[in-house]
């Protein structure tokens, strides 16, 4: 898997943090903090490898917040470790009530205080990773909650590796107080201006976004992602794509409480079941799939070009070369009601920060209203290019002779 | 070397006596014509034509060896002699060339001993008497004694290319050409020269460009934080489709014309899927530099005259590409606070010949730089400097440098890019603070590239899927090669990348190693291709792992040196053999070029080498070479140090009248040449209008180009007019040629080289005809004239490009239905193995004109009863083909009808007469072979076979009449002593 950087290629800072965590493991708790693309998850994987080698009989568990992240973590583990390390979502971990010698928790800022307490009680040694800037859920443990509850030693990673300089600057303009330092870029990293694309109507927008996302996608885990702030807008978009392709509309997900029993019992929100939706596209050989909440499979994108539809929330922790944010209209619901916004004015920006930092290279933001959504209205001019593209009319090749 | 003259003379006597004995027996009355004259090169023929028949002793050694070699199979058969002698003859032909074109240093003693030994062995085989053999054996013994005495260098590799490093101005002292010493401290990370370096960097930027077939990278040098020299790739702003800028150090070597704008790089590459190659998107043009087949983009949207940036040829494309790069390089330098005056080094494949370098140099004018600020460096050398520099800066380099200090170390540089695979073997060493570098071998320009793998996948896997969508459609080979496969290639490339990533993720060293469930790789739909009433497309292009493994097998599978010419190890074997070392003498393989990132390629190469050989994979394969080029730029332009000063590997020669080859620039000459080489020729025919001076590398089959001097007046040149040639090689291996003739103002045109490698004459003619055809297509916007089409068809048939021949004949008939080429088309299809089409055209030919040949052709595609009827019809008509007798005879014979054997005998008799008289074609030989076998005349059949194996027609793209003569002509056709 391409994101899994070998240990000898880690940065000096990353290596120092890894050494500290591994040296003190069993004696101290660490919280690896770091912004999007700083390599938090990567360091947890390396720490797991070292623990596994040193303690061949120890039980190890990796706790993620989302199902999609679970997929990513599994793809980063070697075959041998994959069989040995249990990778679960925090809700599942809680309901399993099973003790582990070593527990590693990613995206700790998204877990509630109660749940954290429960997780700690089943963990022999507990190590954490997460970024307070990316806290996008209401009612979760704050930074100070986590500090007082678990008393971790904090190590902060500031270099951004995964993101291009431009995406980093864009993220900073959305969330200015965020601490981001550019790490050494790979030679192939490209800095591409954000494409702000205005369409006359949503049908045209959906058709264009789908075609472009499909054209940019490649096999070998180079999928494109189209992200939505809500399931509703995702479904509307899907229907428009069906119309463009002259196919029947896909079935809406069932907001089922029975989808995954263990989730349903503990989850604060019902989990959407997109299995029928995904089957709909697969049967028609359209490389679209909903990915998140236990639906869809990242491994599909290894052997074919895939376009994943996700919500901003479920995309956290993942990254894609090309990311499309359609319908970023002036009236878009961005994770919070007016009332909630009044209480926590930056919650919208944090969610948009998460969405734009999913892109390693190409970020396409599109809208059909007069103005763009307020979270992206103040992007510096030099970072964006505006256009109103038309759907390509592909002429067929004509034999010349 | 004097001993060779003596040996050659004695060998000549043996050959003359032997040939005089056997040839008349083989060829009957026409032996001189068929077995001597027809076996010579056209230039040799011209001279021999003037001799009285039978004067073998007036042939020179080259001609004698050629005659012996070309008749050997038949001689060996009739005289029951060993076929192995052919190898000896081949070795002696090489030896003869070696002495004729020896470099200034002469030929090494080892080689000389081997050559004399070979001569002795051949003479024994040919039955030389002891009196002739004795003096040669004496010479051989004397040489062996010398060798044991040890005052001669035993091993002088005539093929090797020295890389002397020293001052830029070539010195006249011979030591300067072999001693390779430069202060290497700055290259190896030292900071001592820091002050000087920063002064040099104040006013100028030293940049390196790795101009790759698929990706171009620009790097610039700067002073690092610690005071040493550092090189980094520049992030180049490339225009996007919507006017956005895409900044990345990797610039795809692609141009696209979209929205009335010419864009280059990343988005141009992405646009490939929406545009048409050769019309509004142009890629892989680097590979086509130096090979001029006319306007290779006849369908271009950017025509000369109507577009400010015309792209009709590969060179146009390269020029445009560099023009696009200049402003964005300036921008990147300004942003990096680097000086704006550019000093540039461009890396090129080591095997790039002068013609390719010349075209590249012209294209580099697009950068708008003064010539003195541009130089070239061979990619392997750049790669090695980059590796040394990087090792010194980033990791513990003690072990490597210790090794380099201890002994000269052989490093094989394996450069596998999208379009090329180049192998070089460098011998490097460190002495004190100086670097020694010698280039031991450069592999031939094999044109094996990542592209070939993509084409194999497109052809083997995707083409059948495409054709499924249009069941009635059978494309011609030309449509497949030139339209459909390129159309499918981007999809094939993506499938390949997916599969290779998949394999890398599982640490597989071969796709065949996987025993789990074979995954299926899927790609986006392939766009529609419309051909007449047929619409072709692939909804879901896919390939199983095992199908991909099959397509990759010839490149990455089991290596068999006899068969696997496309295998990634083949060029390694070639290079190692060429420099005469054993693979165990290699210290490391340095992989560069994008395709080497592919683990399977690395494994396929390394598993053929001993475990002791170290694989070196640079940290960043794609930027590695450009960094070395920037280092070279700094050394060359800034410090006036030439890190590499190569010498020529092979002699550059001129073809003169009478099979003459005169050396213009000997092998082993330093590059650039210290002073111009001069050669006088003479015009030996009064009134000659044109003088053609063909220039070649090593021998006339590797033509490099041609100088053409046209007489000023209508009376032509006077006999005896001197033709003065001047030749020099520039630093960038460009060959500069001038010619003058007796004060007459002459027009000199350097014709474009026809080829970069050894090709047969028919290939060269085919290339020439294609060039004319492409030019015609461009000029007439797709409606070529009948004459050009028919010419291409005829040349294609001769070069055995039967699909193309059929295609062209059909096109001619479409253009003008009144001409009748049905039989030609039928024949071409039949030769191409396409029986359905052949049958269709046989019918058309018969309907149009039912002559003996047409009737015979009909018989080929009919069932039994019909077959007999057509054959009878054929032999009843005027000029029946001999084959008709055989076929009808076979039918009768099988039916127990005694007249069958009579018919076959008739066929054999007719052809045997021709065999005896010598006027027999290759196909007739084949027919005779078959017919004689049927009636058990095995001896006749065998003779026909060996005769056939010896016959290959020869034609050259220049005219013997127009050549100039050598001033000292005696040596070429002089009488043997």
């Amino acid at each position: 898997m391409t994101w899994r950087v070998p240990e000898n290629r880690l940065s000096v800072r990353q290596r120092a943090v890894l050494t500290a965590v591994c040296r003190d493991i069993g004696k101290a708790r660490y919280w690896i903090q770091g912004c999007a693309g700083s390599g938090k998850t990567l360091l947890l994987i390396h720490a797991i490898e070292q623990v596994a080698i040193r303690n061949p009989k120890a039980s190890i568990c990796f706790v993620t917040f989302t199902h999609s992240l679970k997929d990513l973590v599994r793809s980063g583990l070697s075959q041998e470790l994959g069989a040995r390390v249990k990778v679960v979502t925090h809700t599942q971990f809680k309901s399993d009530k099973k003790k582990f010698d070593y527990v590693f928790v990613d995206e700790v800022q998204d877990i509630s205080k109660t749940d954290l307490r429960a997780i700690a009680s089943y963990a022999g040694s507990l190590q954490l990773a997460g970024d307070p800037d990316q806290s996008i859920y209401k009612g979760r443990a704050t930074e100070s909650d986590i500090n007082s509850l678990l008393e971790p030693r904090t190590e902060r990673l500031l270099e951004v590796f995964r993101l291009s300089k431009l995406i980093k600057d864009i993220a900073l303009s959305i969330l200015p107080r965020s601490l981001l330092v550019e790490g050494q870029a790979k030679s192939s990293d490209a800095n591409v201006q954000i494409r702000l694309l205005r369409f006359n109507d949503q049908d045209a927008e959906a058709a264009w976004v789908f075609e472009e996302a499909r054209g940019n996608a490649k096999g070998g885990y180079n999928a494109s992602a189209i992200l939505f702030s809500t399931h509703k807008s995702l479904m509307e978009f899907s229907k428009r794509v069906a119309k463009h392709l002259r196919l029947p509309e896909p079935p809406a997900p069932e907001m089922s409480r029975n989808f995954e029993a263990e989730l349903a019992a503990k989850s604060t929100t019902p989990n959407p079941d997109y299995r029928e939706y995904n089957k709909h596209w697969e049967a028609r050989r359209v490389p679209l799939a909903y990915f998140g909440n236990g639906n869809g499979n990242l491994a599909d994108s290894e052997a074919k070009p895939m376009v994943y539809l996700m919500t901003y929330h479920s995309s956290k922790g993942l990254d894609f070369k090309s990311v499309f944010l359609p319908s970023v209209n002036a009236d878009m619901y961005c994770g919070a009601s007016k009332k909630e916004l009044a209480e926590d004015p930056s919650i919208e920006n944090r969610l948009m920060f998460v969405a734009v930092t999913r892109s390693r290279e190409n970020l396409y933001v599109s809208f059909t209203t007069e103005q763009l959504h307020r979270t992206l209205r103040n992007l510096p001019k030099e970072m964006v290019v505006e256009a109103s593209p038309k759907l390509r009319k592909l002429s067929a090749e004509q034999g010349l002779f | 070397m004097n001993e060779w003259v003596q040996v050659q003379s004695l060998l000549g006597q043996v050959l003359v006596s032997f040939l005089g004995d056997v040839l008349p027996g083989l060829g009957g009355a026409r032996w001189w014509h068929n077995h001597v004259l027809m076996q010579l090169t056209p230039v040799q023929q011209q001279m021999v034509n003037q001799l009285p028949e039978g004067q073998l002793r007036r042939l020179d050694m080259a001609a004698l060896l050629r005659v012996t070699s070309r008749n050997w199979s038949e001689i060996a058969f009739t005289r029951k002699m060993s076929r192995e002698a052919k190898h000896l003859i081949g070795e002696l032909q090489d030896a003869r060339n070696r002495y004729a074109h020896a470099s200034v240093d002469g030929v090494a003693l080892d080689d000389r001993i081997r050559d004399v030994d070979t001569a002795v062995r051949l003479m024994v085989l040919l039955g030389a008497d002891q009196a002739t053999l004795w003096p040669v054996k004496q010479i051989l013994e004397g040489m062996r004694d010398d060798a044991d005495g040890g005052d001669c260098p035993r091993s002088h590799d005539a093929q090797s290319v020295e890389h002397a490093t020293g001052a830029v101005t070539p010195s006249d002292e011979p030591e300067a050409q072999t001693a390779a010493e430069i202060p290497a401290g700055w290259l190896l990370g030292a900071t001592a020269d820091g002050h000087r370096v920063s002064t040099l960097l104040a006013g100028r930027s030293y940049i390196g460009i790795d101009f790759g077939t698929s990706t171009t990278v620009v790097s610039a040098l700067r002073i690092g934080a610690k005071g040493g020299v550092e090189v980094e790739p520049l992030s180049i702003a490339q225009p996007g489709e919507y006017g956005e800028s895409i900044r990345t150090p990797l610039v795809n070597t692609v141009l696209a014309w979209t929205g009335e704008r010419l864009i280059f790089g990343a988005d141009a590459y992405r646009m490939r899927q929406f545009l048409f190659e050769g019309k509004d998107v142009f890629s892989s043009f680097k590979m086509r530099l130096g090979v001029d087949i006319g306007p290779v983009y006849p369908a271009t949207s950017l025509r000369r005259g109507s577009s400010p940036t015309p792209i009709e040829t590969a060179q146009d494309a390269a020029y445009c590409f560099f023009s696009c790069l200049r402003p964005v390089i300036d921008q990147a330098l300004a942003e990096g606070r680097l000086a704006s005056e550019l000093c540039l080094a461009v890396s090129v494949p080591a095997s790039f010949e002068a013609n390719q370098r010349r075209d590249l140099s012209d294209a580099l004018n697009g950068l708008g730089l003064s010539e003195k600020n541009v130089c070239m460096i061979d990619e392997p050398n750049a790669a090695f400097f980059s590796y040394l520099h990087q090792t010194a800066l980033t990791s513990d380099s003690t072990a490597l440098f210790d090794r380099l200090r201890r002994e000269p170390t052989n490093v094989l540089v394996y450069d596998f890019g999208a379009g090329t695979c180049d192998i070089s073997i460098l011998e490097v060493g460190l002495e004190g603070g100086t670097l020694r570098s010698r280039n031991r071998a450069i592999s031939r320009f094999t044109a094996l590239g990542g592209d070939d793998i993509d084409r194999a996948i497109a052809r083997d896997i995707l083409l059948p899927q495409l054709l499924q969508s249009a069941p009635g459609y059978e494309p011609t080979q030309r449509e497949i090669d030139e339209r459909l496969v390129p159309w499918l290639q981007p999809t094939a490339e993506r499938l390949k990348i997916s599969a290779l990533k998949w394999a890398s993720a599982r640490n597989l060293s071969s796709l065949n190693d996987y025993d789990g469930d074979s995954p299926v790789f899927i790609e986006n739909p392939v766009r529609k291709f419309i051909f007449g009433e047929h619409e072709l497309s692939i909804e879901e292009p896919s390939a199983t792992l095992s199908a991909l493994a099959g397509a990759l097998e010839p490149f990455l599978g089991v290596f068999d040196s006899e068969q696997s010419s496309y295998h990634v190890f083949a060029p390694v074997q070639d290079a190692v053999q060429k420099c005469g070392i054993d693979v165990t003498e290699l210290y490391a393989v340095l992989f560069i070029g994008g395709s080497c990132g592919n683990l399977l390629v690395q494994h396929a190469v390394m598993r053929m080498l001993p475990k002791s050989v170290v694989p070196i994979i640079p940290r960043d394969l794609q930027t590695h070479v450009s960094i070395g080029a920037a280092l070279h730029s700094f050394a060359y332009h800034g410090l006036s140090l030439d890190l590499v000063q190569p010498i020529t590997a092979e002699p550059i020669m001129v073809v003169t009248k009478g099979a003459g080859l005169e050396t213009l620039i000997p092998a082993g000459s330093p590059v650039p040449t210290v002073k111009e080489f001069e050669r006088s020729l003479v015009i030996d025919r009064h009134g000659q209008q044109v003088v053609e001076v063909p220039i070649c590398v090593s021998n006339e089959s590797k033509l490099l180009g041609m100088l053409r001097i046209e007489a000023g007046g209508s009376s032509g040149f006077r006999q005896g007019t001197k033709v003065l040639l001047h030749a020099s090689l520039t630093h960038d291996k460009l060959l500069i040629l001038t010619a003058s003739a007796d004060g007459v103002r002459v027009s000199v045109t350097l014709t474009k080289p026809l080829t970069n490698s050894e090709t047969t004459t028919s290939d060269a003619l085919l290339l020439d005809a294609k060039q004319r055809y492409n030019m015609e297509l461009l000029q007439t916007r797709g409606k070529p004239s009948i004459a050009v089409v028919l010419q291409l068809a005829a040349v294609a048939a001769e070069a055995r490009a039967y699909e193309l021949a059929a295609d062209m004949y059909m096109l001619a008939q479409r253009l003008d239905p009144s001409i009748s080429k049905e039989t030609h088309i039928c024949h071409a299809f039949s030769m191409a193995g396409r029986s359905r089409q052949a049958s269709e055209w046989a019918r058309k030919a018969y309907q149009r004109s039912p002559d003996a040949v047409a009737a015979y052709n009909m018989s080929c595609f009919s069932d039994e009863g019909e077959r007999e009827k057509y054959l009878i019809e054929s032999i009843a008509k005027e000029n029946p083909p001999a084959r008709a007798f055989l076929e009808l005879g076979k039918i009768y014979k099988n039916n127990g009808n005694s007249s069958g054997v009579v018919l076959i005998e008739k066929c054999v008799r007719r052809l045997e007469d021709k065999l005896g008289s010598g006027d027999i074609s290759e196909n007739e030989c084949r027919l005779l072979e078959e017919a004689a076998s049927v009636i058990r005349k095995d001896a006749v059949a065998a003779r026909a076979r060996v005769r056939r194996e010896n016959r290959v027609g020869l034609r050259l793209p220049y005219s013997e009449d127009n050549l100039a003569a050598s001033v000292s002509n005696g040596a070429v056709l002089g009488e043997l002593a």
Side-chain angles (χ1 to χ4, degrees), chain A residues 83-100:
Chain A
R84 190 171 152 199
V85 177
K86 188 152 173 96
V87 185
V88 291
T89 61
H90 74 291
T91 42
Q92 195 188 339
F93 183 83
K94 257 185 353 181
S95 64
D96 282 355
K97 296 192 170 137
K98 195 167 168 268
K99 275 201 117 171
F100 285 89

Side-chain angles (χ1 to χ4, degrees), chain B residues 706-721:
Chain B
M706 194 142 71
L707 283 158
R708 234 178 108 84
I709 312 169
E710 284 166 23
S714 58
S715 55
F717 289 106
R718 275 180 299 107
Q719 188 175 16
T721 303

Side-chain angles (χ1 to χ4, degrees), chain B residues 166 252 401 416 489 594 700 702 968:
Chain B
N252 299 86
F401 291 164
F416 194 22
Q489 212 171 310
E700 66 267 36
K702 281 188 257 176
S968 54

